Amino acid sequence: MIPPTVLYSATSASLSNRQKYPYVYRSIPNGVSVYNGPYLWIIKNYGWRRLAVVYDPNDAFTAVCRFTLFKFLPCTGSSYRKHLLQGLPKSVVLSRHRLEDINKRTVEINTTILSEVIDKEAKNLIENLKDEDIRIIIVDAFEGDARRIFCEAYKAGFYGPDMFWMLPGWYNPKWWRLESDVEGCTTEEIAMVVETSLPLGMDVSPLSTVNNVTVAGITPLEFQDEMRRRLQWPKYEGITENGYMSYSFDAVWSIGLMLNKTVQVLRQRNSSLRLEDFSYNDPTLTEIFLEEFATTRFFGASVSLYIIFT
């Protein structure tokens, strides 16, 4: 048997398939659980009836598109109203509890969804969206592809204040003004599309916004402050803060708690086995590891979901 593997940065929804990956656990949420609630919350609350999803055929994006929108939104509606964005707040914060609550609800929405895969040339994609007069567009792709899409939108004149784009919030700051890697458009032309439209960036805050005490005896903010303090130490010179710190922190704690529970199980069984006896050929400890991982619960340094306007 294979011992459990704990991932702190892999977000592919496919890894949630327990039959295919029975030994994989992770401290970072998968793409579906992250975007499911916010997409549905926004679509339902603002009465959107027609929208498009354009996505990279990469698994990380196709899984979100396949499992999130098309699972919950039947393509039966046909009406469309402009200016549905009035009153949309500048920021929305959804705690993990709130997110789970949204995901569990039965969603009754009649929304027509146009699906487009991003290929080497985004020209046809933009032409299709323009022909269908779709003005609400969800983009699930890396920022290089987003720049290509916005370049073609500029060429087609497909931009303006009645266009709404939902994009990953983990793009680089001012990603549309970075040195363009797109042939046929300048950074100013791409910026024209972004800055005259209404873009919304959506991402996961790596640090929980709930100020409870974690399993480590400190709050998430105290954990962040301590990490930043230690990064000032001379021996960490050149090492910078990254967005996975809280996830790796929680991953380490999950392993530690699982091992402690395993020790208790061995004592209850009066077993002569010790953690130090573990080997990859020993099914007994591996089975206990898997059983205890499946029931390990604790409050860690991550995660809340936030939505911000770019």
Side-chain angles (χ1 to χ4, degrees):
M1 294 183 68
I2 302 173
T5 300
V6 186
L7 308 176
Y8 64 87
S9 62
T11 60
S12 173
S14 298
L15 292 173
S16 295
N17 186 331
R18 302 308 298 167
Q19 292 184 335
K20 191 173 183 180
Y21 304 105
Y23 309 115
V24 173
Y25 294 85
R26 50 185 168 184
S27 55
I28 190 171
N30 71 67
V32 170
S33 69
V34 168
Y35 295 110
N36 214 4
Y39 280 154
L40 299 176
W41 185 87
I42 292 174
I43 291 169
K44 183 172 183 178
N45 277 272
Y46 295 97
W48 294 346
R49 292 293 177 264
R50 297 187 70 226
L51 59 94
V53 181
V54 297
Y55 60 94
D56 186 321
N58 180 293
D59 174 71
F61 299 109
T62 57
V64 172
C65 180
R66 184 169 66 250
F67 294 125
T68 300
L69 292 177
F70 297 110
K71 178 179 178 181
F72 289 95
L73 304 182
C75 299
T76 57
S78 59
S79 63
Y80 175 72
R81 292 183 293 117
K82 292 185 179 180
H83 309 301
L84 294 174
L85 309 178
Q86 294 180 358
L88 191 65
K90 290 188 176 181
S91 65
V92 178
V93 178
L94 299 175
S95 66
R96 170 176 280 181
H97 175 75
R98 172 65 172 151
L99 183 60
E100 291 175 348
D101 179 57
I102 291 174
N103 287 337
K104 289 177 182 177
R105 294 184 181 183
T106 300
V107 180
E108 297 179 358
I109 308 176
N110 290 325
T111 303
T112 298
I113 303 173
L114 176 65
S115 171
E116 293 284 344
V117 177
I118 302 170
D119 54 18
K120 292 182 179 179
E121 295 184 6
K123 181 179 179 180
N124 292 338
L125 181 154
I126 292 297
E127 288 178 350
N128 291 342
L129 296 179
K130 191 173 182 179
D131 289 343
E132 294 290 336
D133 194 30
I134 300 291
R135 300 302 178 109
I136 300 172
I137 304 165
I138 297 173
V139 178
D140 274 320
F142 293 111
E143 66 179 61
D145 286 325
R147 281 191 286 269
R148 290 198 296 116
I149 292 170
F150 280 65
C151 174
E152 293 300 332
Y154 174 81
K155 293 177 183 178
F158 191 55
Y159 59 92
D162 59 347
M163 294 291 300
F164 181 69
W165 302 81
M166 296 176 68
L167 303 140
W170 41 261
Y171 287 177
N172 285 304
K174 299 291 183 180
W175 56 269
W176 59 93
R177 284 194 173 274
L178 298 180
E179 184 175 350
S180 179
D181 51 3
V182 179
E183 294 183 2
C185 284
T186 66
T187 55
E188 290 300 322
E189 289 169 339
I190 295 174
M192 175 70 73
V193 179
V194 177
E195 294 172 5
T196 61
S197 304
L198 183 58
L200 177 74
M202 186 161 59
D203 198 6
V204 175
S205 167
L207 198 71
S208 175
T209 57
V210 180
N211 201 35
N212 292 344
V213 175
T214 69
V215 65
I218 56 177
T219 67
L221 284 176
E222 289 171 339
F223 159 74
Q224 183 181 63
D225 290 342
E226 179 63 17
M227 289 299 297
R228 289 175 175 174
R229 185 182 70 83
R230 295 192 181 200
L231 286 174
Q232 301 302 313
W233 293 358
K235 66 178 180 179
Y236 295 129
E237 184 178 358
I239 298 177
T240 58
E241 180 179 348
N242 68 62
Y244 296 109
M245 290 195 308
S246 59
Y247 301 125
S248 57
F249 176 82
D250 290 349
V252 171
W253 267 100
S254 69
I255 295 171
L257 293 172
M258 178 274 293
L259 292 175
N260 280 347
K261 292 167 66 179
T262 299
V263 170
Q264 295 174 8
V265 170
L266 293 174
R267 288 174 179 170
Q268 291 170 359
R269 296 181 181 180
N270 293 319
S271 174
S272 61
L273 283 175
R274 302 175 304 164
L275 294 179
E276 295 89 333
D277 298 325
F278 171 76
S279 73
Y280 287 96
N281 297 319
D282 178 10
T284 302
L285 280 175
T286 298
E287 287 179 359
I288 298 175
F289 290 165
L290 292 171
E291 290 173 0
E292 298 310 315
F293 245 126
T295 59
T296 297
R297 300 287 185 274
F298 64 95
F299 184 81
S302 63
V303 58
S304 292
L305 184 125
Y306 70 93
I307 306 173
I308 55 171
F309 275 100
T310 55

